[in-house]
Amino acid sequence: MTPAAALTLFALACVPAYAAGDSPPVAETVTFVVSTGFWEEPAEEADTDTAGAQTRRGYYKLIAVRQADETAELHLQQIEATAEGPKIVSSAALEEFSAMKPYVTDIRPENSSGITTQPGFFATVYLKTDPKASEPESWTVLIDDLGEIKVERATN
């Protein structure tokens, strides 16, 4: 491949995946997203989205969003897997992190295979409360099989 052809391919690869004037599909302030774990619950009879279904199912997402002061706000979402596609069931900022005003450096799921055998969610958030700190702290976000959310400093 000639240098000119390589440069052309690179330029084409850098073309935005959305039309000018449209909003990008993911905001530039989103710095990390982890989708992992799963949840299940009985379907309610009045729920038209799950008509005929015995169980509602889905997964969780943990999202770090950069704020104007360069700290991050962490949002936890519960996503339902429907026939029409993913649907947000709930979305909330995790106040435990908001109070710290963290600089998030990474978020990792419990395992990288994406396969879990038990309902719930587990992820480790690496953060600094002082941007000049040399090493990040690690915190865990856990949702147990009953849906209880725990945010705590990781213990190794």
Side-chain angles (χ1 to χ4, degrees):
M1 179 180 294
T2 67
L7 185 58
T8 301
L9 283 175
F10 177 75
L12 289 174
C14 295
V15 173
Y18 56 94
D22 289 347
S23 296
V26 177
E28 59 276 356
T29 55
V30 172
T31 55
F32 298 98
V33 177
V34 170
S35 295
T36 188
F38 73 93
W39 59 272
E40 294 180 331
E41 65 184 29
E44 296 176 15
E45 289 183 35
D47 190 349
T48 57
D49 288 344
T50 56
Q54 298 294 323
T55 306
R56 294 174 60 197
R57 294 181 174 90
Y59 56 96
Y60 298 98
K61 283 198 308 190
L62 184 61
I63 305 159
V65 179
R66 187 179 310 254
Q67 303 300 297
D69 64 358
E70 295 188 13
T71 63
E73 187 171 74
L74 281 101
H75 295 264
L76 182 62
Q77 293 184 332
Q78 183 179 10
I79 310 294
E80 181 177 6
T82 70
E84 295 79 34
K87 175 181 156 187
I88 297 173
V89 174
S90 66
S91 184
L94 295 175
E95 294 303 321
E96 296 88 344
F97 290 110
S98 296
M100 284 190 258
K101 296 213 169 271
Y103 298 87
V104 175
T105 61
D106 200 1
I107 301 177
R108 300 278 173 106
E110 182 174 18
N111 68 55
S112 59
S113 73
I115 300 170
T116 58
T117 58
Q118 298 294 319
F121 173 88
F122 183 92
T124 303
V125 177
Y126 297 90
L127 61 87
K128 296 178 181 182
T129 53
D130 176 359
K132 295 176 183 170
S134 60
E135 294 294 321
E137 301 173 12
S138 52
W139 288 73
T140 58
V141 178
L142 170 74
I143 302 175
D144 64 20
D145 57 343
L146 302 174
E148 294 294 320
I149 302 169
K150 293 181 187 176
V151 175
E152 56 193 15
R153 184 120 188 214
T155 56
N156 293 341

